[in-house]
Amino acid sequence: MIRQCGNGCELTSPAVLRWSLGRLDWHYIAPGKPAQNAFVESFHNRLHDESLNEHVFLSLAEAQVTIEAWRDDYNYRRPHSSLGAPTPVEFARLKTEKLIPPPAMENLTQNPKSEPAIS
């Protein structure tokens, strides 16, 4: 398994690095290049802006409850524009049931430069 991360302080603690030995190959993105890990960077920004920066946790239990509530909202209740507006859970269900076409078909049907059909 490969873990790709930014160069921030969140995942560079000695404890995390010790834990990862033998479990993960650790890959850092280039400094100043967050686009190399855009999905994770976007998620981390949302998590920080909407939850972590809004609370002062007085205990680990309080942090777990608060972050779990945010995660539940993020995955089960909040529509995601990047997925075409369903929640991530709905999107996964639709994908599993094959109600969402494969990416190659999406590109063909949405490409405005494609040749018109000849009837």
Side-chain angles (χ1 to χ4, degrees), residues 13-48:
S13 76
V16 171
L17 295 174
R18 269 193 310 276
W19 172 86
S20 72
L21 290 174
R23 295 179 181 175
L24 303 171
D25 286 333
W26 207 263
H27 295 264
Y28 292 99
I29 63 172
K33 302 285 186 184
Q36 292 177 346
N37 205 13
F39 293 114
V40 171
E41 293 294 325
S42 175
F43 172 78
H44 282 171
N45 285 339
R46 278 186 171 51
L47 175 61
H48 280 266

Side-chain angles (χ1 to χ4, degrees), residues 14-81:
V16 171
L17 295 174
R18 269 193 310 276
W19 172 86
S20 72
L21 290 174
R23 295 179 181 175
L24 303 171
D25 286 333
W26 207 263
H27 295 264
Y28 292 99
I29 63 172
K33 302 285 186 184
Q36 292 177 346
N37 205 13
F39 293 114
V40 171
E41 293 294 325
S42 175
F43 172 78
H44 282 171
N45 285 339
R46 278 186 171 51
L47 175 61
H48 280 266
D49 289 346
E50 298 172 9
S51 185
L52 301 179
N53 293 344
E54 298 293 321
H55 299 91
V56 174
F57 303 114
L58 301 178
S59 69
L60 178 58
E62 181 184 358
Q64 290 170 327
V65 168
T66 302
I67 293 167
E68 177 59 24
W70 182 87
R71 188 191 66 80
D72 182 73
D73 177 66
Y74 186 85
N75 287 323
Y76 291 90
R77 292 167 182 46
R78 181 188 310 185
H80 289 243
S81 60

